[in-house]
Amino acid sequence: MKARILLIEDNLQNRYLARFLLEQRGHEVVQAETGPMGLQLAAEVRPDLILLDIQLPGMDGHDLAGALRRDPRLKSIPIVAVTSYAMAGDREKCLAAGAEGYIEKPINPETFVAEVERFLNSPREEPT
Ligand code: MN
């Protein structure tokens, strides 16, 4: 299933790698480099899934997940946190902020797309 994925990540290398891996499998990738830009793009492009870095300029991933969850138009879009935080409790913090799941950095090219696709449950409704 091809999906439209919003990637909110400020690190160029991580964006490049994630986009390359997802596009290779046929997914459409829309990118944002800051929290506020991510929130705006989410409303504009209505992605099937949001990949969310936690350490972001402007608005951190926890606050952004909360803002997405409070928006009635956006609250049903699955959010997957992608973060290198290894601190105890960070996974729970991401989930409490509204993320469906968690993928650890560094991105593993062997498993990344399969991990993302686990969170793509409902097919996108295409106009007929
Ligand atoms: Mn970051």
Side-chain angles (χ1 to χ4, degrees):
M1 187 201 102
K2 292 180 182 177
R4 177 180 294 165
I5 295 169
L6 172 60
L7 173 62
I8 308 173
E9 164 67 79
D10 62 322
N11 180 277
L12 178 63
Q13 284 184 307
N14 286 332
R15 278 206 311 277
Y16 183 87
L17 179 58
R19 180 181 191 171
F20 173 79
L21 294 168
L22 291 164
E23 286 184 345
Q24 200 176 41
R25 296 284 287 266
H27 298 301
E28 178 188 351
V29 179
V30 180
Q31 302 180 87
E33 297 176 34
T34 68
M37 198 187 297
L39 192 56
Q40 186 188 329
L41 268 179
E44 281 177 21
V45 307
R46 304 295 179 88
D48 298 301
L49 182 132
I50 297 171
L51 288 174
L52 180 60
D53 180 29
I54 296 301
Q55 291 172 294
L56 284 167
M59 177 190 256
D60 77 25
H62 298 113
D63 290 345
L64 182 51
L68 290 163
R69 283 294 163 264
R70 283 192 298 275
D71 187 325
R73 299 166 303 163
L74 307 176
K75 65 181 181 185
S76 63
I77 302 171
I79 299 169
V80 178
V82 183
T83 178
S84 53
Y85 269 6
M87 292 160 64
D90 191 60
R91 184 189 181 107
E92 288 68 26
K93 198 174 167 190
C94 290
L95 300 177
E100 314 297 317
Y102 183 92
I103 296 174
E104 275 190 20
K105 286 181 192 167
I107 289 170
N108 180 344
E110 303 292 323
T111 59
F112 180 69
V113 176
E115 287 186 82
V116 171
E117 287 175 345
R118 286 196 299 124
F119 297 99
L120 282 172
N121 296 319
S122 40
R124 182 175 189 78
E125 286 179 30
E126 300 288 353
T128 47

